[in-house]
Structures are given as structure tokens and as C-alpha cells.
PDB file of all heavy atoms in Angstrom:
ATOM      1  N   PHE A   1     -67.302  -7.252 -61.175  1.00  0.00           N
ATOM      2  CA  PHE A   1     -68.457  -6.984 -60.313  1.00  0.00           C
ATOM      3  C   PHE A   1     -69.691  -7.750 -60.791  1.00  0.00           C
ATOM      4  O   PHE A   1     -70.517  -8.165 -59.973  1.00  0.00           O
ATOM      5  CB  PHE A   1     -68.732  -5.492 -60.257  1.00  0.00           C
ATOM      6  CG  PHE A   1     -67.789  -4.732 -59.363  1.00  0.00           C
ATOM      7  CD1 PHE A   1     -66.904  -3.811 -59.881  1.00  0.00           C
ATOM      8  CD2 PHE A   1     -67.787  -4.969 -58.000  1.00  0.00           C
ATOM      9  CE1 PHE A   1     -66.026  -3.127 -59.053  1.00  0.00           C
ATOM     10  CE2 PHE A   1     -66.910  -4.288 -57.154  1.00  0.00           C
ATOM     11  CZ  PHE A   1     -66.026  -3.364 -57.692  1.00  0.00           C
ATOM     12  N   VAL A   2     -69.840  -7.936 -62.092  1.00  0.00           N
ATOM     13  CA  VAL A   2     -70.935  -8.773 -62.584  1.00  0.00           C
ATOM     14  C   VAL A   2     -70.722 -10.219 -62.149  1.00  0.00           C
ATOM     15  O   VAL A   2     -71.657 -10.906 -61.709  1.00  0.00           O
ATOM     16  CB  VAL A   2     -71.048  -8.666 -64.111  1.00  0.00           C
ATOM     17  CG1 VAL A   2     -72.103  -9.634 -64.638  1.00  0.00           C
ATOM     18  CG2 VAL A   2     -71.412  -7.236 -64.519  1.00  0.00           C
ATOM     19  N   ALA A   3     -69.474 -10.707 -62.259  1.00  0.00           N
ATOM     20  CA  ALA A   3     -69.166 -12.068 -61.808  1.00  0.00           C
ATOM     21  C   ALA A   3     -69.394 -12.212 -60.306  1.00  0.00           C
ATOM     22  O   ALA A   3     -69.823 -13.278 -59.839  1.00  0.00           O
ATOM     23  CB  ALA A   3     -67.723 -12.411 -62.163  1.00  0.00           C
ATOM     24  N   LYS A   4     -69.127 -11.161 -59.545  1.00  0.00           N
ATOM     25  CA  LYS A   4     -69.376 -11.205 -58.107  1.00  0.00           C
ATOM     26  C   LYS A   4     -70.855 -11.433 -57.813  1.00  0.00           C
ATOM     27  O   LYS A   4     -71.209 -12.211 -56.919  1.00  0.00           O
ATOM     28  CB  LYS A   4     -68.905  -9.887 -57.475  1.00  0.00           C
ATOM     29  CG  LYS A   4     -69.229  -9.741 -56.010  1.00  0.00           C
ATOM     30  CD  LYS A   4     -68.864  -8.352 -55.510  1.00  0.00           C
ATOM     31  CE  LYS A   4     -69.325  -8.146 -54.070  1.00  0.00           C
ATOM     32  NZ  LYS A   4     -69.055  -6.767 -53.592  1.00  0.00           N
ATOM     33  N   ALA A   5     -71.734 -10.771 -58.572  1.00  0.00           N
ATOM     34  CA  ALA A   5     -73.172 -10.963 -58.371  1.00  0.00           C
ATOM     35  C   ALA A   5     -73.613 -12.354 -58.803  1.00  0.00           C
ATOM     36  O   ALA A   5     -74.450 -12.976 -58.146  1.00  0.00           O
ATOM     37  CB  ALA A   5     -73.953  -9.894 -59.139  1.00  0.00           C
ATOM     38  N   VAL A   6     -73.057 -12.854 -59.896  1.00  0.00           N
ATOM     39  CA  VAL A   6     -73.468 -14.171 -60.390  1.00  0.00           C
ATOM     40  C   VAL A   6     -73.003 -15.274 -59.449  1.00  0.00           C
ATOM     41  O   VAL A   6     -73.752 -16.227 -59.159  1.00  0.00           O
ATOM     42  CB  VAL A   6     -72.915 -14.394 -61.811  1.00  0.00           C
ATOM     43  CG1 VAL A   6     -73.242 -15.799 -62.295  1.00  0.00           C
ATOM     44  CG2 VAL A   6     -73.494 -13.364 -62.765  1.00  0.00           C
ATOM     45  N   LEU A   7     -71.781 -15.166 -58.935  1.00  0.00           N
ATOM     46  CA  LEU A   7     -71.229 -16.199 -58.061  1.00  0.00           C
ATOM     47  C   LEU A   7     -71.718 -16.077 -56.623  1.00  0.00           C
ATOM     48  O   LEU A   7     -71.441 -16.962 -55.813  1.00  0.00           O
ATOM     49  CB  LEU A   7     -69.703 -16.140 -58.094  1.00  0.00           C
ATOM     50  CG  LEU A   7     -69.047 -16.421 -59.456  1.00  0.00           C
ATOM     51  CD1 LEU A   7     -67.546 -16.218 -59.375  1.00  0.00           C
ATOM     52  CD2 LEU A   7     -69.369 -17.837 -59.916  1.00  0.00           C
ATOM     53  N   GLY A   8     -72.402 -14.984 -56.295  1.00  0.00           N
ATOM     54  CA  GLY A   8     -72.918 -14.822 -54.941  1.00  0.00           C
ATOM     55  C   GLY A   8     -71.860 -14.473 -53.922  1.00  0.00           C
ATOM     56  O   GLY A   8     -72.019 -14.791 -52.733  1.00  0.00           O
ATOM     57  N   LEU A   9     -70.780 -13.812 -54.334  1.00  0.00           N
ATOM     58  CA  LEU A   9     -69.735 -13.393 -53.404  1.00  0.00           C
ATOM     59  C   LEU A   9     -70.216 -12.167 -52.633  1.00  0.00           C
ATOM     60  O   LEU A   9     -70.747 -11.228 -53.216  1.00  0.00           O
ATOM     61  CB  LEU A   9     -68.441 -13.075 -54.171  1.00  0.00           C
ATOM     62  CG  LEU A   9     -67.888 -14.227 -55.018  1.00  0.00           C
ATOM     63  CD1 LEU A   9     -66.672 -13.766 -55.798  1.00  0.00           C
ATOM     64  CD2 LEU A   9     -67.547 -15.419 -54.136  1.00  0.00           C
ATOM     65  N   THR A  10     -70.005 -12.176 -51.323  1.00  0.00           N
ATOM     66  CA  THR A  10     -70.593 -11.139 -50.483  1.00  0.00           C
ATOM     67  C   THR A  10     -69.742  -9.881 -50.376  1.00  0.00           C
ATOM     68  O   THR A  10     -70.282  -8.792 -50.213  1.00  0.00           O
ATOM     69  CB  THR A  10     -70.847 -11.696 -49.075  1.00  0.00           C
ATOM     70  OG1 THR A  10     -69.609 -12.180 -48.538  1.00  0.00           O
ATOM     71  CG2 THR A  10     -71.856 -12.835 -49.122  1.00  0.00           C
ATOM     72  N   THR A  11     -68.424 -10.002 -50.456  1.00  0.00           N
ATOM     73  CA  THR A  11     -67.547  -8.853 -50.248  1.00  0.00           C
ATOM     74  C   THR A  11     -66.573  -8.717 -51.403  1.00  0.00           C
ATOM     75  O   THR A  11     -66.327  -9.669 -52.161  1.00  0.00           O
ATOM     76  CB  THR A  11     -66.757  -8.994 -48.936  1.00  0.00           C
ATOM     77  OG1 THR A  11     -65.935 -10.168 -49.007  1.00  0.00           O
ATOM     78  CG2 THR A  11     -67.697  -9.106 -47.749  1.00  0.00           C
ATOM     79  N   THR A  12     -65.998  -7.525 -51.518  1.00  0.00           N
ATOM     80  CA  THR A  12     -64.970  -7.287 -52.533  1.00  0.00           C
ATOM     81  C   THR A  12     -63.700  -8.052 -52.207  1.00  0.00           C
ATOM     82  O   THR A  12     -62.988  -8.511 -53.120  1.00  0.00           O
ATOM     83  CB  THR A  12     -64.677  -5.777 -52.629  1.00  0.00           C
ATOM     84  OG1 THR A  12     -65.895  -5.078 -52.904  1.00  0.00           O
ATOM     85  CG2 THR A  12     -63.688  -5.479 -53.736  1.00  0.00           C
ATOM     86  N   VAL A  13     -63.391  -8.203 -50.927  1.00  0.00           N
ATOM     87  CA  VAL A  13     -62.220  -8.995 -50.540  1.00  0.00           C
ATOM     88  C   VAL A  13     -62.379 -10.445 -50.996  1.00  0.00           C
ATOM     89  O   VAL A  13     -61.426 -11.067 -51.506  1.00  0.00           O
ATOM     90  CB  VAL A  13     -62.009  -8.921 -49.016  1.00  0.00           C
ATOM     91  CG1 VAL A  13     -60.850  -9.814 -48.584  1.00  0.00           C
ATOM     92  CG2 VAL A  13     -61.753  -7.487 -48.587  1.00  0.00           C
ATOM     93  N   GLY A  14     -63.581 -10.987 -50.844  1.00  0.00           N
ATOM     94  CA  GLY A  14     -63.832 -12.343 -51.335  1.00  0.00           C
ATOM     95  C   GLY A  14     -63.697 -12.454 -52.835  1.00  0.00           C
ATOM     96  O   GLY A  14     -63.214 -13.465 -53.360  1.00  0.00           O
ATOM     97  N   LEU A  15     -64.106 -11.404 -53.555  1.00  0.00           N
ATOM     98  CA  LEU A  15     -63.947 -11.398 -55.014  1.00  0.00           C
ATOM     99  C   LEU A  15     -62.478 -11.404 -55.402  1.00  0.00           C
ATOM    100  O   LEU A  15     -62.062 -12.143 -56.313  1.00  0.00           O
ATOM    101  CB  LEU A  15     -64.654 -10.179 -55.596  1.00  0.00           C
ATOM    102  CG  LEU A  15     -64.441  -9.898 -57.089  1.00  0.00           C
ATOM    103  CD1 LEU A  15     -64.997 -11.037 -57.932  1.00  0.00           C
ATOM    104  CD2 LEU A  15     -65.085  -8.575 -57.478  1.00  0.00           C
ATOM    105  N   ILE A  16     -61.662 -10.598 -54.720  1.00  0.00           N
ATOM    106  CA  ILE A  16     -60.231 -10.546 -55.046  1.00  0.00           C
ATOM    107  C   ILE A  16     -59.561 -11.880 -54.731  1.00  0.00           C
ATOM    108  O   ILE A  16     -58.729 -12.379 -55.509  1.00  0.00           O
ATOM    109  CB  ILE A  16     -59.570  -9.391 -54.276  1.00  0.00           C
ATOM    110  CG1 ILE A  16     -60.162  -8.055 -54.716  1.00  0.00           C
ATOM    111  CG2 ILE A  16     -58.056  -9.386 -54.486  1.00  0.00           C
ATOM    112  CD1 ILE A  16     -59.662  -6.867 -53.937  1.00  0.00           C
ATOM    113  N   GLU A  17     -59.919 -12.489 -53.604  1.00  0.00           N
ATOM    114  CA  GLU A  17     -59.345 -13.791 -53.265  1.00  0.00           C
ATOM    115  C   GLU A  17     -59.740 -14.854 -54.282  1.00  0.00           C
ATOM    116  O   GLU A  17     -58.922 -15.716 -54.641  1.00  0.00           O
ATOM    117  CB  GLU A  17     -59.792 -14.193 -51.867  1.00  0.00           C
ATOM    118  CG  GLU A  17     -59.223 -13.318 -50.753  1.00  0.00           C
ATOM    119  CD  GLU A  17     -59.752 -13.708 -49.397  1.00  0.00           C
ATOM    120  OE1 GLU A  17     -60.672 -14.581 -49.347  1.00  0.00           O
ATOM    121  OE2 GLU A  17     -59.277 -13.152 -48.384  1.00  0.00           O
ATOM    122  N   ARG A  18     -60.971 -14.789 -54.766  1.00  0.00           N
ATOM    123  CA  ARG A  18     -61.399 -15.762 -55.779  1.00  0.00           C
ATOM    124  C   ARG A  18     -60.637 -15.549 -57.088  1.00  0.00           C
ATOM    125  O   ARG A  18     -60.239 -16.512 -57.750  1.00  0.00           O
ATOM    126  CB  ARG A  18     -62.903 -15.615 -56.008  1.00  0.00           C
ATOM    127  CG  ARG A  18     -63.472 -16.529 -57.094  1.00  0.00           C
ATOM    128  CD  ARG A  18     -63.402 -17.985 -56.703  1.00  0.00           C
ATOM    129  NE  ARG A  18     -63.895 -18.846 -57.758  1.00  0.00           N
ATOM    130  CZ  ARG A  18     -65.177 -19.243 -57.859  1.00  0.00           C
ATOM    131  NH1 ARG A  18     -66.076 -18.835 -56.962  1.00  0.00           N
ATOM    132  NH2 ARG A  18     -65.560 -20.033 -58.825  1.00  0.00           N
ATOM    133  N   LEU A  19     -60.397 -14.298 -57.458  1.00  0.00           N
ATOM    134  CA  LEU A  19     -59.629 -14.028 -58.671  1.00  0.00           C
ATOM    135  C   LEU A  19     -58.179 -14.460 -58.535  1.00  0.00           C
ATOM    136  O   LEU A  19     -57.549 -14.859 -59.531  1.00  0.00           O
ATOM    137  CB  LEU A  19     -59.703 -12.535 -59.006  1.00  0.00           C
ATOM    138  CG  LEU A  19     -61.053 -11.999 -59.488  1.00  0.00           C
ATOM    139  CD1 LEU A  19     -61.034 -10.477 -59.571  1.00  0.00           C
ATOM    140  CD2 LEU A  19     -61.409 -12.585 -60.860  1.00  0.00           C
ATOM    141  N   MET A  20     -57.648 -14.404 -57.329  1.00  0.00           N
ATOM    142  CA  MET A  20     -56.248 -14.789 -57.128  1.00  0.00           C
ATOM    143  C   MET A  20     -56.045 -16.291 -57.268  1.00  0.00           C
ATOM    144  O   MET A  20     -55.015 -16.742 -57.784  1.00  0.00           O
ATOM    145  CB  MET A  20     -55.776 -14.322 -55.749  1.00  0.00           C
ATOM    146  CG  MET A  20     -55.646 -12.808 -55.622  1.00  0.00           C
ATOM    147  SD  MET A  20     -55.152 -12.295 -53.965  1.00  0.00           S
ATOM    148  CE  MET A  20     -53.534 -13.055 -53.847  1.00  0.00           C
ATOM    149  N   VAL A  21     -57.025 -17.062 -56.835  1.00  0.00           N
ATOM    150  CA  VAL A  21     -56.863 -18.518 -56.865  1.00  0.00           C
ATOM    151  C   VAL A  21     -57.500 -19.153 -58.090  1.00  0.00           C
ATOM    152  O   VAL A  21     -57.170 -20.296 -58.434  1.00  0.00           O
ATOM    153  CB  VAL A  21     -57.450 -19.149 -55.589  1.00  0.00           C
ATOM    154  CG1 VAL A  21     -56.756 -18.607 -54.356  1.00  0.00           C
ATOM    155  CG2 VAL A  21     -58.947 -18.900 -55.486  1.00  0.00           C
ATOM    156  N   ASP A  22     -58.406 -18.456 -58.750  1.00  0.00           N
ATOM    157  CA  ASP A  22     -59.115 -19.017 -59.901  1.00  0.00           C
ATOM    158  C   ASP A  22     -58.553 -18.379 -61.173  1.00  0.00           C
ATOM    159  O   ASP A  22     -58.919 -17.261 -61.551  1.00  0.00           O
ATOM    160  CB  ASP A  22     -60.617 -18.745 -59.776  1.00  0.00           C
ATOM    161  CG  ASP A  22     -61.443 -19.622 -60.704  1.00  0.00           C
ATOM    162  OD1 ASP A  22     -60.896 -20.072 -61.733  1.00  0.00           O
ATOM    163  OD2 ASP A  22     -62.632 -19.839 -60.415  1.00  0.00           O
ATOM    164  N   ARG A  23     -57.669 -19.097 -61.835  1.00  0.00           N
ATOM    165  CA  ARG A  23     -57.058 -18.577 -63.056  1.00  0.00           C
ATOM    166  C   ARG A  23     -58.075 -18.448 -64.176  1.00  0.00           C
ATOM    167  O   ARG A  23     -58.005 -17.524 -64.991  1.00  0.00           O
ATOM    168  CB  ARG A  23     -55.921 -19.521 -63.477  1.00  0.00           C
ATOM    169  CG  ARG A  23     -55.194 -19.126 -64.751  1.00  0.00           C
ATOM    170  CD  ARG A  23     -54.061 -20.094 -65.002  1.00  0.00           C
ATOM    171  NE  ARG A  23     -54.568 -21.442 -65.185  1.00  0.00           N
ATOM    172  CZ  ARG A  23     -54.906 -21.968 -66.371  1.00  0.00           C
ATOM    173  NH1 ARG A  23     -54.803 -21.224 -67.466  1.00  0.00           N
ATOM    174  NH2 ARG A  23     -55.340 -23.207 -66.459  1.00  0.00           N
ATOM    175  N   VAL A  24     -59.053 -19.334 -64.222  1.00  0.00           N
ATOM    176  CA  VAL A  24     -60.057 -19.297 -65.283  1.00  0.00           C
ATOM    177  C   VAL A  24     -60.959 -18.076 -65.135  1.00  0.00           C
ATOM    178  O   VAL A  24     -61.251 -17.371 -66.104  1.00  0.00           O
ATOM    179  CB  VAL A  24     -60.880 -20.599 -65.281  1.00  0.00           C
ATOM    180  CG1 VAL A  24     -61.930 -20.566 -66.385  1.00  0.00           C
ATOM    181  CG2 VAL A  24     -59.966 -21.804 -65.452  1.00  0.00           C
ATOM    182  N   LEU A  25     -61.393 -17.802 -63.912  1.00  0.00           N
ATOM    183  CA  LEU A  25     -62.246 -16.631 -63.684  1.00  0.00           C
ATOM    184  C   LEU A  25     -61.506 -15.339 -64.012  1.00  0.00           C
ATOM    185  O   LEU A  25     -62.094 -14.403 -64.570  1.00  0.00           O
ATOM    186  CB  LEU A  25     -62.732 -16.617 -62.234  1.00  0.00           C
ATOM    187  CG  LEU A  25     -63.620 -15.432 -61.827  1.00  0.00           C
ATOM    188  CD1 LEU A  25     -64.899 -15.408 -62.651  1.00  0.00           C
ATOM    189  CD2 LEU A  25     -63.948 -15.481 -60.340  1.00  0.00           C
ATOM    190  N   ARG A  26     -60.226 -15.281 -63.666  1.00  0.00           N
ATOM    191  CA  ARG A  26     -59.453 -14.088 -63.992  1.00  0.00           C
ATOM    192  C   ARG A  26     -59.378 -13.879 -65.504  1.00  0.00           C
ATOM    193  O   ARG A  26     -59.504 -12.764 -65.993  1.00  0.00           O
ATOM    194  CB  ARG A  26     -58.047 -14.213 -63.416  1.00  0.00           C
ATOM    195  CG  ARG A  26     -57.209 -12.968 -63.609  1.00  0.00           C
ATOM    196  CD  ARG A  26     -55.758 -13.190 -63.251  1.00  0.00           C
ATOM    197  NE  ARG A  26     -55.591 -13.727 -61.895  1.00  0.00           N
ATOM    198  CZ  ARG A  26     -54.410 -13.885 -61.308  1.00  0.00           C
ATOM    199  NH1 ARG A  26     -53.301 -13.550 -61.966  1.00  0.00           N
ATOM    200  NH2 ARG A  26     -54.330 -14.383 -60.090  1.00  0.00           N
ATOM    201  N   ARG A  27     -59.220 -14.953 -66.232  1.00  0.00           N
ATOM    202  CA  ARG A  27     -59.166 -14.844 -67.693  1.00  0.00           C
ATOM    203  C   ARG A  27     -60.522 -14.460 -68.267  1.00  0.00           C
ATOM    204  O   ARG A  27     -60.607 -13.699 -69.238  1.00  0.00           O
ATOM    205  CB  ARG A  27     -58.705 -16.173 -68.299  1.00  0.00           C
ATOM    206  CG  ARG A  27     -58.556 -16.151 -69.809  1.00  0.00           C
ATOM    207  CD  ARG A  27     -57.424 -15.237 -70.212  1.00  0.00           C
ATOM    208  NE  ARG A  27     -57.326 -15.120 -71.659  1.00  0.00           N
ATOM    209  CZ  ARG A  27     -57.962 -14.210 -72.373  1.00  0.00           C
ATOM    210  NH1 ARG A  27     -58.759 -13.333 -71.780  1.00  0.00           N
ATOM    211  NH2 ARG A  27     -57.826 -14.169 -73.681  1.00  0.00           N
ATOM    212  N   ILE A  28     -61.608 -14.967 -67.689  1.00  0.00           N
ATOM    213  CA  ILE A  28     -62.951 -14.638 -68.173  1.00  0.00           C
ATOM    214  C   ILE A  28     -63.232 -13.147 -67.987  1.00  0.00           C
ATOM    215  O   ILE A  28     -63.802 -12.493 -68.866  1.00  0.00           O
ATOM    216  CB  ILE A  28     -63.999 -15.499 -67.442  1.00  0.00           C
ATOM    217  CG1 ILE A  28     -63.871 -16.962 -67.867  1.00  0.00           C
ATOM    218  CG2 ILE A  28     -65.408 -14.996 -67.732  1.00  0.00           C
ATOM    219  CD1 ILE A  28     -64.743 -17.896 -67.077  1.00  0.00           C
ATOM    220  N   CYS A  29     -62.843 -12.591 -66.839  1.00  0.00           N
ATOM    221  CA  CYS A  29     -63.082 -11.167 -66.579  1.00  0.00           C
ATOM    222  C   CYS A  29     -62.199 -10.264 -67.420  1.00  0.00           C
ATOM    223  O   CYS A  29     -62.519  -9.071 -67.571  1.00  0.00           O
ATOM    224  CB  CYS A  29     -62.881 -10.863 -65.102  1.00  0.00           C
ATOM    225  SG  CYS A  29     -64.094 -11.654 -64.023  1.00  0.00           S
ATOM    226  N   GLY A  30     -61.100 -10.793 -67.958  1.00  0.00           N
ATOM    227  CA  GLY A  30     -60.233 -10.001 -68.822  1.00  0.00           C
ATOM    228  C   GLY A  30     -58.893  -9.649 -68.228  1.00  0.00           C
ATOM    229  O   GLY A  30     -58.071  -9.028 -68.916  1.00  0.00           O
ATOM    230  N   PHE A  31     -58.611  -9.988 -66.961  1.00  0.00           N
ATOM    231  CA  PHE A  31     -57.332  -9.649 -66.350  1.00  0.00           C
ATOM    232  C   PHE A  31     -56.216 -10.492 -66.957  1.00  0.00           C
ATOM    233  O   PHE A  31     -56.345 -11.717 -67.041  1.00  0.00           O
ATOM    234  CB  PHE A  31     -57.382  -9.877 -64.834  1.00  0.00           C
ATOM    235  CG  PHE A  31     -58.341  -8.984 -64.119  1.00  0.00           C
ATOM    236  CD1 PHE A  31     -59.581  -9.452 -63.730  1.00  0.00           C
ATOM    237  CD2 PHE A  31     -58.002  -7.670 -63.831  1.00  0.00           C
ATOM    238  CE1 PHE A  31     -60.467  -8.628 -63.059  1.00  0.00           C
ATOM    239  CE2 PHE A  31     -58.895  -6.835 -63.171  1.00  0.00           C
ATOM    240  CZ  PHE A  31     -60.125  -7.318 -62.788  1.00  0.00           C
ATOM    241  N   PRO A  32     -55.121  -9.886 -67.375  1.00  0.00           N
ATOM    242  CA  PRO A  32     -54.003 -10.669 -67.935  1.00  0.00           C
ATOM    243  C   PRO A  32     -53.405 -11.575 -66.867  1.00  0.00           C
ATOM    244  O   PRO A  32     -53.227 -11.167 -65.714  1.00  0.00           O
ATOM    245  CB  PRO A  32     -53.011  -9.594 -68.396  1.00  0.00           C
ATOM    246  CG  PRO A  32     -53.802  -8.339 -68.508  1.00  0.00           C
ATOM    247  CD  PRO A  32     -54.873  -8.441 -67.463  1.00  0.00           C
ATOM    248  N   PRO A  33     -53.059 -12.795 -67.210  1.00  0.00           N
ATOM    249  CA  PRO A  33     -52.504 -13.716 -66.194  1.00  0.00           C
ATOM    250  C   PRO A  33     -51.114 -13.321 -65.735  1.00  0.00           C
ATOM    251  O   PRO A  33     -50.683 -13.734 -64.655  1.00  0.00           O
ATOM    252  CB  PRO A  33     -52.499 -15.063 -66.913  1.00  0.00           C
ATOM    253  CG  PRO A  33     -52.473 -14.727 -68.365  1.00  0.00           C
ATOM    254  CD  PRO A  33     -53.244 -13.445 -68.522  1.00  0.00           C
ATOM    255  N   CYS A  34     -50.401 -12.518 -66.527  1.00  0.00           N
ATOM    256  CA  CYS A  34     -49.031 -12.162 -66.168  1.00  0.00           C
ATOM    257  C   CYS A  34     -48.942 -10.891 -65.329  1.00  0.00           C
ATOM    258  O   CYS A  34     -47.839 -10.509 -64.916  1.00  0.00           O
ATOM    259  CB  CYS A  34     -48.189 -11.995 -67.433  1.00  0.00           C
ATOM    260  SG  CYS A  34     -48.856 -10.768 -68.583  1.00  0.00           S
ATOM    261  N   ARG A  35     -50.050 -10.219 -65.068  1.00  0.00           N
ATOM    262  CA  ARG A  35     -50.038  -8.978 -64.321  1.00  0.00           C
ATOM    263  C   ARG A  35     -50.674  -9.177 -62.952  1.00  0.00           C
ATOM    264  O   ARG A  35     -51.526 -10.052 -62.753  1.00  0.00           O
ATOM    265  CB  ARG A  35     -50.789  -7.875 -65.081  1.00  0.00           C
ATOM    266  CG  ARG A  35     -50.071  -7.400 -66.338  1.00  0.00           C
ATOM    267  CD  ARG A  35     -50.877  -6.352 -67.072  1.00  0.00           C
ATOM    268  NE  ARG A  35     -51.200  -5.207 -66.222  1.00  0.00           N
ATOM    269  CZ  ARG A  35     -51.906  -4.160 -66.658  1.00  0.00           C
ATOM    270  NH1 ARG A  35     -52.371  -4.135 -67.913  1.00  0.00           N
ATOM    271  NH2 ARG A  35     -52.152  -3.157 -65.843  1.00  0.00           N
ATOM    272  N   LYS A  36     -50.272  -8.327 -62.012  1.00  0.00           N
ATOM    273  CA  LYS A  36     -50.809  -8.394 -60.662  1.00  0.00           C
ATOM    274  C   LYS A  36     -52.220  -7.832 -60.632  1.00  0.00           C
ATOM    275  O   LYS A  36     -52.527  -6.866 -61.332  1.00  0.00           O
ATOM    276  CB  LYS A  36     -49.893  -7.614 -59.721  1.00  0.00           C
ATOM    277  CG  LYS A  36     -50.307  -7.684 -58.261  1.00  0.00           C
ATOM    278  CD  LYS A  36     -49.355  -6.887 -57.388  1.00  0.00           C
ATOM    279  CE  LYS A  36     -49.795  -6.923 -55.930  1.00  0.00           C
ATOM    280  NZ  LYS A  36     -48.879  -6.141 -55.057  1.00  0.00           N
ATOM    281  N   LEU A  37     -53.065  -8.435 -59.800  1.00  0.00           N
ATOM    282  CA  LEU A  37     -54.438  -7.953 -59.676  1.00  0.00           C
ATOM    283  C   LEU A  37     -54.461  -6.571 -59.019  1.00  0.00           C
ATOM    284  O   LEU A  37     -53.597  -6.250 -58.199  1.00  0.00           O
ATOM    285  CB  LEU A  37     -55.270  -8.930 -58.849  1.00  0.00           C
ATOM    286  CG  LEU A  37     -55.764 -10.198 -59.535  1.00  0.00           C
ATOM    287  CD1 LEU A  37     -56.458 -11.091 -58.519  1.00  0.00           C
ATOM    288  CD2 LEU A  37     -56.708  -9.857 -60.667  1.00  0.00           C
ATOM    289  N   PRO A  38     -55.454  -5.741 -59.341  1.00  0.00           N
ATOM    290  CA  PRO A  38     -55.587  -4.443 -58.654  1.00  0.00           C
ATOM    291  C   PRO A  38     -55.851  -4.639 -57.169  1.00  0.00           C
ATOM    292  O   PRO A  38     -56.344  -5.677 -56.715  1.00  0.00           O
ATOM    293  CB  PRO A  38     -56.773  -3.780 -59.358  1.00  0.00           C
ATOM    294  CG  PRO A  38     -56.910  -4.501 -60.655  1.00  0.00           C
ATOM    295  CD  PRO A  38     -56.441  -5.896 -60.425  1.00  0.00           C
ATOM    296  N   SER A  39     -55.523  -3.617 -56.404  1.00  0.00           N
ATOM    297  CA  SER A  39     -55.720  -3.670 -54.960  1.00  0.00           C
ATOM    298  C   SER A  39     -57.199  -3.494 -54.612  1.00  0.00           C
ATOM    299  O   SER A  39     -58.030  -3.149 -55.458  1.00  0.00           O
ATOM    300  CB  SER A  39     -54.885  -2.586 -54.272  1.00  0.00           C
ATOM    301  OG  SER A  39     -55.323  -1.303 -54.691  1.00  0.00           O
ATOM    302  N   GLU A  40     -57.500  -3.708 -53.346  1.00  0.00           N
ATOM    303  CA  GLU A  40     -58.881  -3.523 -52.884  1.00  0.00           C
ATOM    304  C   GLU A  40     -59.327  -2.072 -53.041  1.00  0.00           C
ATOM    305  O   GLU A  40     -60.491  -1.797 -53.360  1.00  0.00           O
ATOM    306  CB  GLU A  40     -58.994  -3.962 -51.426  1.00  0.00           C
ATOM    307  CG  GLU A  40     -60.397  -3.852 -50.858  1.00  0.00           C
ATOM    308  CD  GLU A  40     -60.461  -4.235 -49.393  1.00  0.00           C
ATOM    309  OE1 GLU A  40     -59.432  -4.696 -48.861  1.00  0.00           O
ATOM    310  OE2 GLU A  40     -61.531  -4.067 -48.781  1.00  0.00           O
ATOM    311  N   ALA A  41     -58.415  -1.129 -52.818  1.00  0.00           N
ATOM    312  CA  ALA A  41     -58.758   0.280 -52.977  1.00  0.00           C
ATOM    313  C   ALA A  41     -59.122   0.604 -54.422  1.00  0.00           C
ATOM    314  O   ALA A  41     -60.028   1.400 -54.685  1.00  0.00           O
ATOM    315  CB  ALA A  41     -57.590   1.159 -52.518  1.00  0.00           C
ATOM    316  N   THR A  42     -58.430  -0.016 -55.372  1.00  0.00           N
ATOM    317  CA  THR A  42     -58.753   0.211 -56.783  1.00  0.00           C
ATOM    318  C   THR A  42     -60.146  -0.306 -57.115  1.00  0.00           C
ATOM    319  O   THR A  42     -60.917   0.344 -57.822  1.00  0.00           O
ATOM    320  CB  THR A  42     -57.707  -0.467 -57.681  1.00  0.00           C
ATOM    321  OG1 THR A  42     -56.408   0.036 -57.355  1.00  0.00           O
ATOM    322  CG2 THR A  42     -57.993  -0.201 -59.148  1.00  0.00           C
ATOM    323  N   PHE A  43     -60.480  -1.491 -56.587  1.00  0.00           N
ATOM    324  CA  PHE A  43     -61.826  -2.020 -56.790  1.00  0.00           C
ATOM    325  C   PHE A  43     -62.875  -1.087 -56.183  1.00  0.00           C
ATOM    326  O   PHE A  43     -63.937  -0.839 -56.785  1.00  0.00           O
ATOM    327  CB  PHE A  43     -61.939  -3.416 -56.175  1.00  0.00           C
ATOM    328  CG  PHE A  43     -61.496  -4.527 -57.077  1.00  0.00           C
ATOM    329  CD1 PHE A  43     -60.171  -4.923 -57.112  1.00  0.00           C
ATOM    330  CD2 PHE A  43     -62.394  -5.175 -57.895  1.00  0.00           C
ATOM    331  CE1 PHE A  43     -59.750  -5.948 -57.942  1.00  0.00           C
ATOM    332  CE2 PHE A  43     -61.996  -6.205 -58.732  1.00  0.00           C
ATOM    333  CZ  PHE A  43     -60.661  -6.602 -58.752  1.00  0.00           C
ATOM    334  N   SER A  44     -62.597  -0.549 -54.996  1.00  0.00           N
ATOM    335  CA  SER A  44     -63.560   0.330 -54.332  1.00  0.00           C
ATOM    336  C   SER A  44     -63.742   1.636 -55.099  1.00  0.00           C
ATOM    337  O   SER A  44     -64.871   2.122 -55.250  1.00  0.00           O
ATOM    338  CB  SER A  44     -63.100   0.611 -52.895  1.00  0.00           C
ATOM    339  OG  SER A  44     -63.044  -0.586 -52.140  1.00  0.00           O
TER     340      SER A  44
END
């Protein structure tokens, strides 16, 4: 959520899509690369 504010992403769906395609951002936030990202409901 801090990265969402810094990158100027408007929605949570946009944040999840960015994490799915950006391996570096996912690693910076702490998500393991071998695990599936949480769902939109989990983020909410």
C-alpha cells in the first residue's frame, strides 16, 4: 500500500496487476516469488 501511493496507482486491482508483472516490485514489498499473490479480497 505504501508502494501504491508512491507509484501513483489509483486502484487495488492496478496494484495487484503491477505486482503480478513486476518481479522486482514484488520482491521489494516482501512477497516470495514462488508463492501466489493474495487475492483482491485479502488486500481489501
Side-chain angles (χ1 to χ4, degrees):
F1 283 114
V2 175
K4 174 186 174 184
V6 176
L7 297 175
L9 302 176
T10 57
T11 61
T12 304
V13 176
L15 172 63
I16 297 175
E17 293 177 353
R18 177 67 182 269
L19 290 171
M20 291 178 63
V21 300
D22 196 335
R23 179 177 62 91
V24 180
L25 179 61
R26 185 190 306 187
R27 183 67 184 90
I28 291 173
C29 294
F31 295 101
C34 57
R35 290 178 56 180
K36 184 180 178 180
L37 282 175
S39 63
E40 182 183 354
T42 303
F43 274 88
S44 298

